[in-house]
């Protein structure tokens, strides 16, 4: 049995969305992912596979997070950064997802 990284991708995508301050609806509009798909992987009802990650990193807004999403690494000198997770912590208590 091959273990997938779907859960890790789902958590990272949620972190990315929250840290950039967009709603699920806006994230859907930016990435072209169905709103229902975003809701399902954020609530753990469905995994977030590589196809979803590819849709996200193919957008201009989220290309700079490619290395972080795929490898957990950054290369600021190349414009590859990680999202500011401190925004997600303060945000999670004050805003409803959606």
């Amino acid at each position: 049995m091959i273990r997938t990284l779907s859960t890790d991708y789902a958590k990272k995508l949620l972190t990315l969305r929250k840290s950039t301050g967009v709603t699920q609806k806006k994230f859907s509009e930016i990435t072209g992912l169905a709103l229902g798909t975003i809701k399902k992987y954020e609530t753990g009802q469905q995994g977030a596979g590589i196809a979803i990650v590819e849709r996200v990193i193919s957008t201009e807004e989220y290309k700079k997070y490619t290395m972080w999403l795929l490898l957990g690494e950054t290369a600021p000198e190349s414009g590859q950064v990680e999202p500011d997770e401190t925004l997600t912590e303060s945000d999670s208590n004050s805003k409803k997802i959606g």
Side-chain angles (χ1 to χ4, degrees), residues 13 17 20 22-39 41-42 52 55-56 59 61-62 98:
L13 290 168
R17 182 185 66 75
T20 56
V22 298
T23 63
Q24 289 176 332
K25 184 174 191 251
K26 183 66 176 173
F27 195 71
S28 172
E29 292 168 3
I30 293 169
T31 62
L33 294 169
L35 180 58
T37 298
I38 295 167
K39 289 181 179 188
Y41 75 68
E42 285 191 3
I52 291 173
R55 290 283 298 265
V56 173
T59 66
E61 291 90 335
Y62 298 116

Side-chain angles (χ1 to χ4, degrees), residues 47-94:
I50 192 67
I52 291 173
V53 173
E54 286 176 346
R55 290 283 298 265
V56 173
I57 62 177
S58 70
T59 66
E60 198 58 41
E61 291 90 335
Y62 298 116
K63 279 184 183 180
K64 63 185 174 184
Y65 302 110
T66 299
M67 285 183 66
W68 175 79
L69 276 167
L70 295 175
L71 306 171
E73 299 175 6
T74 62
E77 65 281 1
S78 300
Q80 288 293 304
V81 296
E82 65 183 300
D84 184 355
E85 293 187 51
T86 59
L87 296 176
T88 63
E89 293 168 9
S90 61
D91 213 26
S92 63
N93 293 327
S94 61

